[in-house]
């Protein structure tokens, strides 16, 4: 079981549980996470959702092998189903990040309501170095949170971010010791048990309403561009280099 789910005291937990592959996300895992969000949405007793990995890893992002074999072809692909379910979730979503949060692992934080990370967390959005482009609204939401120039270092140059930098860039709310992050995220999520659920949902909707339609447009553009670039020679070189454990050579491209 690579995605584990458990609901206790009004909180639906979604654990990415494939530590032997650094929680790299396959199509099947996206499907399970999308289903888990839908189930949490349907369950009247669930007030909030928590997404997490283990003490030393959140996720290495897309499983590169699986992604090349099963590239997303349209908006009904599992990765879209998951990100759309997350982006449109009416109930609050809390992320607890330990260790690496690569690619979609960082992108998804922009769609969560609250995000807590460990001091061992390391974030990155290496889409350009993979011959790809930003995804799921990150080309809008990251500059919006952090400012254009800071976002350019992270999205164009693919520079990694420490926990402190992620806090400064407003991608997370708070940094905690690694063994406290999940408990704290769950504690915060449980606070929604004592709040009026309609007020929470409506306030969340209103907070996102200002940039909802522009986010949807950007996501569609990113999706088309990403799908096209996934088939490119630049991406092939980047992906082969990862599995051959060598540096990619982009000097051949113009
Ligand atoms: N896709 C597929 N497999 C992955 C993976 C990914 N995104 N990330 C890690 N793995 C696999 C490795 O191939 C390795 O498998 P093996 O033991 O069968 O050889 C295993 O997970 C452990 O990874 P490793 O790189 O040895 O761990 P690490 O602790 O040294 O580094 C990361 C952890 C996350 C920093 C590193 O694995 C990494 O950079 N992964 C790629 C991230 C990436 O580019 N993601 C795509 C974003 S779109």
């Amino acid at each position: 079981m690579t995605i584990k789910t458990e609901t206790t005291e009004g909180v639906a937990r979604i654990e990415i549980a494939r530590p032997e592959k650094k929680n790299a996300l396959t199509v099947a895992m996206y499907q399970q996470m999308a289903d888990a969000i839908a189930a949490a949405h349907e369950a009247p007793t669930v007030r909030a959702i928590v997404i997490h990995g283990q003490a030393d890893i959140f996720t290495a992002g897309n499983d590169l092998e699986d992604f090349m074999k099963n590239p997303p072809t349209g908006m009904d692909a599992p990765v879209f189903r998951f990100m759309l379910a997350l982006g449109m979730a009416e109930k609050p979503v809390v992320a607890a990040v330990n260790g690496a949060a690569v690619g979609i692992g960082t992108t998804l934080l922009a769609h969560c309501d609250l995000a807590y990370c460990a001091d061992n967390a390391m974030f990155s959005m290496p889409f350009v170095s993979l011959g790809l482009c930003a995804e799921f609204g990150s080309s809008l939401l990251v500059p919006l949170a952090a400012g254009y120039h800071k976002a350019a270092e992270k999205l164009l140059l693919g520079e990694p971010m420490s926990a402190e930098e992620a806090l400064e860039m407003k991608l997370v709310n708070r940094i905690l010791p690694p063994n406290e992050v999940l408990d704290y995220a769950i504690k915060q999520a449980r606070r929604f048990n004592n709040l009026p659920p309609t007020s929470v949902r409506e306030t969340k909707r209103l907070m996102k309403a200002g940039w909802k339609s522009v986010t949807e447009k950007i996501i569609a553009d990113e999706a088309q561009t990403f799908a096209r670039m996934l088939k490119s020679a630049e991406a092939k070189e980047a992906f082969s280099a990862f599995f051959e454990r060598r540096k990619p050579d982009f000097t051949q491209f113009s």
Side-chain angles (χ1 to χ4, degrees):
M1 188 69 108
T2 46
I3 297 295
K4 293 183 186 166
T5 56
E6 187 186 308
T7 296
T8 34
E9 292 181 53
V11 174
R13 270 169 51 182
I14 301 177
E15 177 183 353
I16 311 170
R18 195 189 176 209
E20 70 286 1
K21 289 287 179 187
K22 301 288 166 187
N23 287 346
L25 295 161
T26 61
V27 166
M29 290 163 79
Y30 284 124
Q31 186 73 47
Q32 290 171 56
M33 290 198 292
D35 291 345
I37 293 177
H41 184 252
E42 291 302 318
T45 53
V46 170
R47 293 297 184 91
I49 299 163
V50 172
I51 301 181
H52 64 99
Q54 296 76 45
D56 60 345
I57 183 75
F58 185 58
T59 172
N62 290 315
D63 182 304
L64 294 173
E65 201 178 341
D66 189 62
F67 220 62
M68 284 311 255
K69 276 193 208 142
N70 307 297
T73 46
M75 295 302 259
D76 57 349
V79 63
F80 285 104
R81 275 201 58 221
F82 164 62
M83 286 304 283
L84 292 176
L86 180 65
M88 290 174 4
E90 292 178 11
K91 295 179 183 179
V93 183
V94 185
V97 180
N98 285 62
V102 185
I104 201 161
T106 294
T107 303
L108 70 80
L109 301 178
H111 296 277
C112 292
D113 302 284
L114 301 168
Y116 299 100
C117 78
D119 51 23
N120 71 355
M122 188 55 80
F123 305 82
S124 61
M125 295 177 285
F127 304 112
V128 167
S129 8
L130 286 168
L132 302 170
C133 67
E135 50 161 20
F136 299 112
S138 55
S139 28
L140 172 73
L141 300 175
V142 178
L144 206 62
Y148 183 85
H149 293 101
K150 197 72 189 168
E153 281 183 341
K154 308 308 170 193
L155 282 167
L156 292 182
L157 288 175
E159 286 182 0
M161 285 156 271
S162 63
E164 287 77 18
E165 214 175 355
L167 183 65
E168 188 192 309
M169 289 179 64
K170 304 185 174 73
L171 289 175
V172 297
N173 292 78
R174 191 167 170 178
I175 304 170
L176 293 137
N179 60 354
E180 291 177 21
V181 181
L182 180 57
D183 287 348
Y184 189 79
I186 292 171
K187 197 172 99 188
Q188 290 293 82
R190 281 194 188 134
R191 290 177 63 183
F192 290 105
N193 287 330
N194 301 322
L195 291 166
T198 311
S199 286
V200 170
R201 283 198 298 273
E202 289 296 352
T203 303
K204 172 171 175 165
R205 180 183 66 75
L206 290 163
M207 283 171 70
K208 296 194 171 215
W211 55 86
K212 183 171 184 283
S213 69
V214 64
T215 307
E216 285 167 0
K217 255 190 224 153
I218 292 271
I219 289 176
D221 190 347
E222 288 169 334
Q224 270 189 359
T225 312
F226 196 100
R228 192 181 71 239
M229 296 183 81
L230 204 50
K231 294 185 197 135
S232 71
E234 292 176 21
K236 282 202 180 84
E237 167 57 15
F239 282 50
S240 307
F242 174 77
F243 288 111
E244 289 161 19
R245 296 190 180 265
R246 63 173 170 84
K247 274 197 158 159
D249 175 11
F250 298 120
T251 55
Q252 54 189 305
F253 304 111
S254 54

